[in-house]
Amino acid sequence: MAAAVPPRAGRGAGRGVSVPAPPATGSRAAPPTMRVKIAEPANKETSPVQNRSLGDETLAQSQNNLREYSLLIEYKHLQMHAPGGVYVMPQFDTLRIWHGIIFIRQGFYRQGVFKFVISIPEEYPEARPTVTFFSHVFHPLVHPETGELDLSVAFPTWRAGKDYVVLVLAFLKKIFYQKDLFTTRNAPNAHASELYQNNRKEFIEKVEACVRDSVSTVLENSPESSIKFAEFNSSHEKIREALLERQEPTEKEQKEGFFRWFTNVFVDQLSSASSAAVAAGTSASPGAAYPQNRK
């Protein structure tokens, strides 16, 4: 039987095509006519609308990656600019949640060890982050039920490019020392503000109670927290000795290490995302997703 020649791609695709059988020879009967199903072409061209959608998704992903890179740079600078006694670390599975702790050494809240969480929105730096205390804090600017710190006192309007997380941390520390913040109007904890102004003794008693509570519950860790406390033991002593003996890397070594990490993680992820978008069909019509290079 002669081989059937399929139609060219684009003609007869998806239709049943009749292929005649060869003529009969001798006394043998001719086999019945066969019907061959032509498969749809494997490489379907994407429409301009699909290309534009894929291009928009790639652009959005690139912008999000750049925002996270900017956030990484900001976190790196905290090593030199973070307020004393304040420590923060990003959550292990997301860069937009920072777990922190502040040690208070003076004032009404001295000896306090207060844990908090900074939630950074995807729109940052255009949008303001939020701060929520994990520890109980009796303070006029801390909501008594949610634990959220009222940032509107220091940042009534969040200014992208001028306001940063490091300034939020500076304000967080200031609320424990700057007494004029205890009399803020429309404070979320009006009871604390009223006691500070009219019954200082009871105010101090409640503050001291929350300080004791912060110390007694310091070993209680949030499951998602990247900063965890545990009872001191011999293994901690070995780590402590190793840290004291370790030489601090030079500024050049820190920069080289950071950019090496950035190249291995961030750039590879961005390249993979772009390659995936191209493989999905943007290469079918480059002009729909990316501007053409002028020669």
Side-chain angles (χ1 to χ4, degrees):
M1 182 177 67
V5 180
R8 289 179 296 175
R11 293 186 178 180
R15 301 191 298 269
V17 179
S18 298
V19 181
T25 58
S27 59
R28 297 178 62 186
T33 300
M34 296 180 293
R35 196 168 183 81
V36 180
K37 181 73 173 179
I38 306 299
E40 294 286 344
N43 298 324
K44 296 176 66 177
E45 294 185 359
T46 56
S47 67
V49 174
Q50 290 175 313
N51 285 327
R52 191 178 305 112
S53 177
L54 290 169
D56 292 343
E57 291 178 3
T58 303
L59 179 61
Q61 182 62 41
S62 299
Q63 290 175 338
N64 183 65
N65 289 340
L66 289 175
R67 287 176 184 272
E68 294 205 348
Y69 171 63
S70 176
L71 199 55
L72 280 172
I73 296 295
E74 187 173 347
Y75 179 75
K76 182 177 183 295
H77 287 173
L78 284 179
Q79 298 179 15
M80 298 177 288
H81 303 292
V86 181
Y87 303 88
V88 293
M89 181 179 293
Q91 190 167 300
F92 295 131
D93 58 353
T94 176
L95 187 61
R96 297 193 174 277
I97 298 179
W98 295 5
H99 295 268
I101 188 164
I102 179 171
F103 297 88
I104 308 300
R105 300 184 176 90
Q106 299 177 358
F108 293 135
Y109 297 86
R110 60 183 175 276
Q111 305 303 321
V113 183
F114 301 110
K115 301 177 183 180
F116 59 90
V117 175
I118 300 178
S119 300
I120 303 172
E122 293 185 359
E123 297 79 13
Y124 182 85
E126 282 77 19
R128 182 175 63 192
T130 60
V131 177
T132 305
F133 281 96
F134 180 75
S135 307
H136 169 61
V137 179
F138 184 76
H139 191 285
L141 294 181
V142 178
H143 196 282
E145 297 179 1
T146 65
E148 183 175 347
L149 173 62
D150 184 6
L151 295 177
S152 65
V153 176
F155 310 96
T157 301
W158 186 261
R159 303 166 300 171
K162 294 185 178 180
D163 295 330
Y164 297 96
V165 175
V166 65
L167 300 180
V168 172
L169 293 175
F171 176 69
L172 181 146
K173 180 178 180 178
K174 188 182 296 184
I175 71 168
F176 294 102
Y177 296 97
Q178 194 166 316
K179 295 180 180 179
D180 62 328
L181 294 175
F182 298 163
T183 58
T184 302
R185 293 184 178 181
N186 301 319
N189 192 336
H191 179 56
S193 180
E194 190 273 334
L195 286 181
Y196 175 79
Q197 298 178 71
N198 302 317
N199 192 338
R200 189 68 56 85
K201 180 181 178 181
E202 185 176 352
F203 173 81
I204 293 176
E205 289 176 353
K206 289 187 176 294
V207 167
E208 291 177 345
C210 86
V211 168
R212 290 192 299 269
D213 183 64
S214 73
V215 175
S216 64
T217 60
V218 72
L219 297 181
E220 297 179 6
N221 302 299
S222 169
E224 300 83 10
S225 179
S226 50
I227 301 178
K228 296 184 181 295
F229 285 77
E231 293 184 0
F232 191 83
N233 55 49
S234 58
S235 61
H236 294 154
E237 180 61 31
K238 294 179 181 179
I239 296 174
R240 176 177 176 274
E241 292 175 356
L243 289 174
L244 292 175
E245 295 175 358
R246 184 176 67 92
Q247 287 186 337
E248 289 293 330
T250 63
E251 183 177 354
K252 180 181 179 181
E253 291 173 337
Q254 289 181 347
K255 290 180 178 179
E256 290 177 349
F258 176 79
F259 284 106
R260 185 164 54 250
W261 171 88
F262 170 72
T263 302
N264 293 338
V265 177
F266 178 79
V267 174
D268 287 350
Q269 290 180 351
L270 182 59
S271 299
S272 299
S274 299
S275 299
V278 171
T282 54
S283 58
S285 179
Y290 303 100
Q292 295 289 334
N293 294 328
R294 293 183 179 180
K295 294 183 179 181

